[in-house]
Amino acid sequence: MIPLKDDIESISKPIVTYIILILNIIVYLYEFLLGPYKEHFIWQFGAVPYEIFNPYMVSGGFTISPYLKIFFSMFIHANFMHILGNMIFLWVFSDNVEDRIGHFKYLFLYLIWGIAGVMLHSILSPNSKIPMVGASGAISGVLGAYVLFYPRARILALVPFGFFLRMTYIPSFFFIGIWFLYQFFLGLAGIGSTGGGVAYFAHIGGFIAGFLSAIPFMGRRRRREIDYEVF
């Protein structure tokens, strides 16, 4: 299922969402311009589970702290479909979460959700030397917060029916629930794998972090325009 839009209009401008989206696009364009050196860029700036738990084993010429790589990796994508999928989810779900939490708190929590995703994947694959890249962990945190804030929101989505795609509105708790189960079962199936691929437990870690960190904001109403009467 591919989300296209939701039926909730954000009240404030999602400035942080715009900045995050633009940064991801700029970094990807830079990767594209690197040509054959793109793979080296990913290996240099991607988050590596083995390095996170063994920082003293990192050696070589120009090296970056494994902990800084966690932040850098959130803005790097492996290919066009990777960034396209992530940016669509960010565009559809992020504005209302930022609206509810507030700009600066949202930015802080977005980074925390990304860290949570990297760490859960790293804990389950501590010896992996394959770099992780992508905004998926942080965006999964956005989904976790969104489903808690707006479980009855409707998501306009493209849903596959055989060889055809149909546009239909789906309740957010159902859309995100199906998404979460998909990540969870594929993550279980991939435990113990030593090759590359999708870090499903990074998605799960980000989602859980987003859901839990959104709880303190449940009683907070979105900023609204001043009410007035015409007479």
Side-chain angles (χ1 to χ4, degrees), residues 73 85 112 145 150 192 213 223:
S73 68
I112 293 298
Y150 312 109
S213 61
R223 290 185 292 275

Side-chain angles (χ1 to χ4, degrees), residues 116-188:
V118 170
M119 292 309 299
L120 182 60
H121 172 77
S122 299
I123 288 170
L124 294 175
S125 304
N127 295 316
S128 173
K129 295 183 180 180
I130 299 175
M132 297 173 56
V133 293
S136 302
I139 295 172
S140 297
V142 173
L143 296 182
Y146 188 98
V147 75
L148 187 64
F149 291 152
Y150 312 109
R152 293 189 294 274
R154 295 192 307 158
I155 309 300
L156 180 63
L158 281 175
V159 182
F161 285 94
F163 294 103
F164 302 97
L165 289 173
R166 177 182 176 184
M167 280 197 302
T168 185
Y169 276 99
I170 301 173
S172 66
F173 73 87
F174 182 79
F175 181 96
I176 296 175
I178 292 295
W179 173 89
F180 180 82
L181 290 175
Y182 180 82
Q183 310 304 313
F184 181 73
F185 287 116
L186 286 181
L188 287 180

Side-chain angles (χ1 to χ4, degrees), residues 99-100 217-224:
D99 199 31
R100 183 71 167 262
F217 298 93
M218 279 298 292
R220 181 174 181 174
R221 297 169 65 90
R222 296 197 301 162
R223 290 185 292 275
R224 298 184 181 277

Side-chain angles (χ1 to χ4, degrees), residues 42-209:
I42 290 176
W43 278 89
Q44 188 173 37
F45 291 96
V48 180
Y50 180 80
E51 293 180 355
I52 291 172
F53 295 115
N54 302 277
Y56 52 88
M57 297 293 289
V58 178
S59 60
F62 174 68
T63 58
I64 300 171
S65 166
Y67 308 118
L68 282 178
K69 287 184 177 184
I70 295 175
F71 292 97
F72 293 147
S73 68
M74 296 183 205
F75 300 92
I76 301 173
H77 290 84
N79 52 55
F80 177 73
M81 294 306 296
H82 188 199
I83 188 172
L84 178 64
N86 276 345
M87 294 304 99
I88 288 174
F89 272 76
L90 180 70
W91 179 260
V92 172
F93 295 102
S94 183
D95 59 333
N96 287 302
V97 175
E98 180 179 347
D99 199 31
R100 183 71 167 262
I101 294 176
H103 305 302
F104 294 108
K105 290 179 182 178
Y106 172 74
L107 175 59
F108 174 76
L109 289 175
Y110 179 89
L111 297 175
I112 293 298
W113 300 335
I115 293 172
V118 170
M119 292 309 299
L120 182 60
H121 172 77
S122 299
I123 288 170
L124 294 175
S125 304
N127 295 316
S128 173
K129 295 183 180 180
I130 299 175
M132 297 173 56
V133 293
S136 302
I139 295 172
S140 297
V142 173
L143 296 182
Y146 188 98
V147 75
L148 187 64
F149 291 152
Y150 312 109
R152 293 189 294 274
R154 295 192 307 158
I155 309 300
L156 180 63
L158 281 175
V159 182
F161 285 94
F163 294 103
F164 302 97
L165 289 173
R166 177 182 176 184
M167 280 197 302
T168 185
Y169 276 99
I170 301 173
S172 66
F173 73 87
F174 182 79
F175 181 96
I176 296 175
I178 292 295
W179 173 89
F180 180 82
L181 290 175
Y182 180 82
Q183 310 304 313
F184 181 73
F185 287 116
L186 286 181
L188 287 180
I191 289 180
S193 175
T194 57
V198 179
Y200 290 106
F201 274 100
H203 303 174
I204 294 169
F207 180 89
I208 294 173

